[in-house]
PDB file of all heavy atoms in Angstrom:
ATOM      1  N   VAL U 210     179.413 136.209 -24.116  1.00 84.00           N
ATOM      2  CA  VAL U 210     179.085 134.981 -23.402  1.00 84.00           C
ATOM      3  C   VAL U 210     180.250 134.007 -23.522  1.00 84.00           C
ATOM      4  O   VAL U 210     180.786 133.785 -24.611  1.00 84.00           O
ATOM      5  CB  VAL U 210     177.780 134.339 -23.937  1.00 84.00           C
ATOM      6  CG1 VAL U 210     177.835 134.102 -25.432  1.00 84.00           C
ATOM      7  CG2 VAL U 210     177.470 133.044 -23.200  1.00 84.00           C
ATOM      8  N   PHE U 211     180.658 133.471 -22.380  1.00 89.00           N
ATOM      9  CA  PHE U 211     181.665 132.415 -22.341  1.00 89.00           C
ATOM     10  C   PHE U 211     180.919 131.082 -22.319  1.00 89.00           C
ATOM     11  O   PHE U 211     180.157 130.814 -21.382  1.00 89.00           O
ATOM     12  CB  PHE U 211     182.539 132.543 -21.094  1.00 89.00           C
ATOM     13  CG  PHE U 211     183.426 133.757 -21.082  1.00 89.00           C
ATOM     14  CD1 PHE U 211     182.958 134.974 -20.590  1.00 89.00           C
ATOM     15  CD2 PHE U 211     184.722 133.686 -21.569  1.00 89.00           C
ATOM     16  CE1 PHE U 211     183.770 136.091 -20.578  1.00 89.00           C
ATOM     17  CE2 PHE U 211     185.543 134.808 -21.561  1.00 89.00           C
ATOM     18  CZ  PHE U 211     185.067 136.017 -21.066  1.00 89.00           C
ATOM     19  N   VAL U 212     181.123 130.266 -23.328  1.00 88.00           N
ATOM     20  CA  VAL U 212     180.476 128.958 -23.406  1.00 88.00           C
ATOM     21  C   VAL U 212     181.510 127.910 -23.002  1.00 88.00           C
ATOM     22  O   VAL U 212     182.496 127.689 -23.714  1.00 88.00           O
ATOM     23  CB  VAL U 212     179.952 128.664 -24.821  1.00 88.00           C
ATOM     24  CG1 VAL U 212     179.195 127.344 -24.836  1.00 88.00           C
ATOM     25  CG2 VAL U 212     179.054 129.790 -25.306  1.00 88.00           C
ATOM     26  N   VAL U 213     181.283 127.282 -21.858  1.00 89.00           N
ATOM     27  CA  VAL U 213     182.253 126.344 -21.301  1.00 89.00           C
ATOM     28  C   VAL U 213     181.728 124.918 -21.461  1.00 89.00           C
ATOM     29  O   VAL U 213     180.579 124.628 -21.099  1.00 89.00           O
ATOM     30  CB  VAL U 213     182.518 126.638 -19.805  1.00 89.00           C
ATOM     31  CG1 VAL U 213     183.673 125.783 -19.296  1.00 89.00           C
ATOM     32  CG2 VAL U 213     182.809 128.111 -19.589  1.00 89.00           C
ATOM     33  N   PHE U 214     182.561 124.027 -21.990  1.00 87.00           N
ATOM     34  CA  PHE U 214     182.166 122.629 -22.135  1.00 87.00           C
ATOM     35  C   PHE U 214     183.410 121.751 -22.118  1.00 87.00           C
ATOM     36  O   PHE U 214     184.504 122.183 -22.498  1.00 87.00           O
ATOM     37  CB  PHE U 214     181.367 122.403 -23.427  1.00 87.00           C
ATOM     38  CG  PHE U 214     182.021 122.964 -24.663  1.00 87.00           C
ATOM     39  CD1 PHE U 214     182.824 122.168 -25.471  1.00 87.00           C
ATOM     40  CD2 PHE U 214     181.829 124.295 -25.022  1.00 87.00           C
ATOM     41  CE1 PHE U 214     183.415 122.680 -26.622  1.00 87.00           C
ATOM     42  CE2 PHE U 214     182.418 124.814 -26.164  1.00 87.00           C
ATOM     43  CZ  PHE U 214     183.213 124.005 -26.966  1.00 87.00           C
ATOM     44  N   ALA U 215     183.238 120.536 -21.639  1.00 87.00           N
ATOM     45  CA  ALA U 215     184.361 119.594 -21.585  1.00 87.00           C
ATOM     46  C   ALA U 215     184.698 119.114 -22.994  1.00 87.00           C
ATOM     47  O   ALA U 215     183.860 119.151 -23.902  1.00 87.00           O
ATOM     48  CB  ALA U 215     184.011 118.417 -20.690  1.00 87.00           C
ATOM     49  N   ARG U 216     185.925 118.645 -23.148  1.00 87.00           N
ATOM     50  CA  ARG U 216     186.372 118.139 -24.455  1.00 87.00           C
ATOM     51  C   ARG U 216     185.440 117.050 -24.964  1.00 87.00           C
ATOM     52  O   ARG U 216     185.141 116.965 -26.156  1.00 87.00           O
ATOM     53  CB  ARG U 216     187.797 117.584 -24.307  1.00 87.00           C
ATOM     54  CG  ARG U 216     188.343 116.852 -25.534  1.00 87.00           C
ATOM     55  CD  ARG U 216     188.626 117.853 -26.646  1.00 87.00           C
ATOM     56  NE  ARG U 216     189.200 117.218 -27.818  1.00 87.00           N
ATOM     57  CZ  ARG U 216     188.489 116.705 -28.823  1.00 87.00           C
ATOM     58  NH1 ARG U 216     187.170 116.735 -28.772  1.00 87.00           N
ATOM     59  NH2 ARG U 216     189.092 116.164 -29.866  1.00 87.00           N
ATOM     60  N   SER U 217     184.903 116.242 -24.067  1.00 84.00           N
ATOM     61  CA  SER U 217     184.038 115.117 -24.456  1.00 84.00           C
ATOM     62  C   SER U 217     182.601 115.553 -24.748  1.00 84.00           C
ATOM     63  O   SER U 217     181.780 114.741 -25.162  1.00 84.00           O
ATOM     64  CB  SER U 217     184.020 114.071 -23.339  1.00 84.00           C
ATOM     65  OG  SER U 217     183.535 114.641 -22.129  1.00 84.00           O
ATOM     66  N   GLN U 218     182.292 116.840 -24.531  1.00 79.00           N
ATOM     67  CA  GLN U 218     180.912 117.300 -24.684  1.00 79.00           C
ATOM     68  C   GLN U 218     180.670 118.101 -25.962  1.00 79.00           C
ATOM     69  O   GLN U 218     179.593 118.666 -26.136  1.00 79.00           O
ATOM     70  CB  GLN U 218     180.530 118.171 -23.474  1.00 79.00           C
ATOM     71  CG  GLN U 218     180.556 117.440 -22.140  1.00 79.00           C
ATOM     72  CD  GLN U 218     180.345 118.383 -20.967  1.00 79.00           C
ATOM     73  OE1 GLN U 218     180.780 119.527 -20.993  1.00 79.00           O
ATOM     74  NE2 GLN U 218     179.684 117.885 -19.938  1.00 79.00           N
ATOM     75  N   VAL U 219     181.629 118.122 -26.852  1.00 77.00           N
ATOM     76  CA  VAL U 219     181.530 118.976 -28.046  1.00 77.00           C
ATOM     77  C   VAL U 219     180.283 118.677 -28.856  1.00 77.00           C
ATOM     78  O   VAL U 219     179.607 119.580 -29.358  1.00 77.00           O
ATOM     79  CB  VAL U 219     182.789 118.822 -28.929  1.00 77.00           C
ATOM     80  CG1 VAL U 219     182.633 119.626 -30.218  1.00 77.00           C
ATOM     81  CG2 VAL U 219     184.016 119.275 -28.168  1.00 77.00           C
ATOM     82  N   GLU U 220     179.949 117.400 -28.975  1.00 67.00           N
ATOM     83  CA  GLU U 220     178.830 117.022 -29.838  1.00 67.00           C
ATOM     84  C   GLU U 220     177.542 116.737 -29.061  1.00 67.00           C
ATOM     85  O   GLU U 220     176.590 116.195 -29.623  1.00 67.00           O
ATOM     86  CB  GLU U 220     179.217 115.794 -30.674  1.00 67.00           C
ATOM     87  CG  GLU U 220     180.400 116.048 -31.594  1.00 67.00           C
ATOM     88  CD  GLU U 220     180.652 114.899 -32.558  1.00 67.00           C
ATOM     89  OE1 GLU U 220     179.680 114.244 -32.960  1.00 67.00           O
ATOM     90  OE2 GLU U 220     181.812 114.664 -32.902  1.00 67.00           O
ATOM     91  N   ILE U 221     177.496 117.101 -27.780  1.00 66.00           N
ATOM     92  CA  ILE U 221     176.281 116.868 -26.990  1.00 66.00           C
ATOM     93  C   ILE U 221     175.177 117.826 -27.432  1.00 66.00           C
ATOM     94  O   ILE U 221     175.403 119.019 -27.662  1.00 66.00           O
ATOM     95  CB  ILE U 221     176.574 117.040 -25.486  1.00 66.00           C
ATOM     96  CG1 ILE U 221     177.416 115.849 -24.992  1.00 66.00           C
ATOM     97  CG2 ILE U 221     175.301 117.146 -24.675  1.00 66.00           C
ATOM     98  CD1 ILE U 221     177.732 115.894 -23.525  1.00 66.00           C
ATOM     99  N   LYS U 222     173.976 117.290 -27.556  1.00 64.00           N
ATOM    100  CA  LYS U 222     172.826 118.067 -28.032  1.00 64.00           C
ATOM    101  C   LYS U 222     172.540 119.258 -27.132  1.00 64.00           C
ATOM    102  O   LYS U 222     172.130 120.331 -27.596  1.00 64.00           O
ATOM    103  CB  LYS U 222     171.602 117.155 -28.115  1.00 64.00           C
ATOM    104  CG  LYS U 222     170.396 117.788 -28.763  1.00 64.00           C
ATOM    105  CD  LYS U 222     169.274 116.773 -28.877  1.00 64.00           C
ATOM    106  CE  LYS U 222     168.050 117.392 -29.540  1.00 64.00           C
ATOM    107  NZ  LYS U 222     166.942 116.410 -29.657  1.00 64.00           N
TER     108      LYS U 222
END
Side-chain angles (χ1 to χ4, degrees):
V210 55
F211 292 87
V212 184
V213 188
F214 50 95
R216 172 71 178 89
S217 59
Q218 297 173 326
V219 176
E220 298 188 32
I221 288 181
K222 188 176 180 180

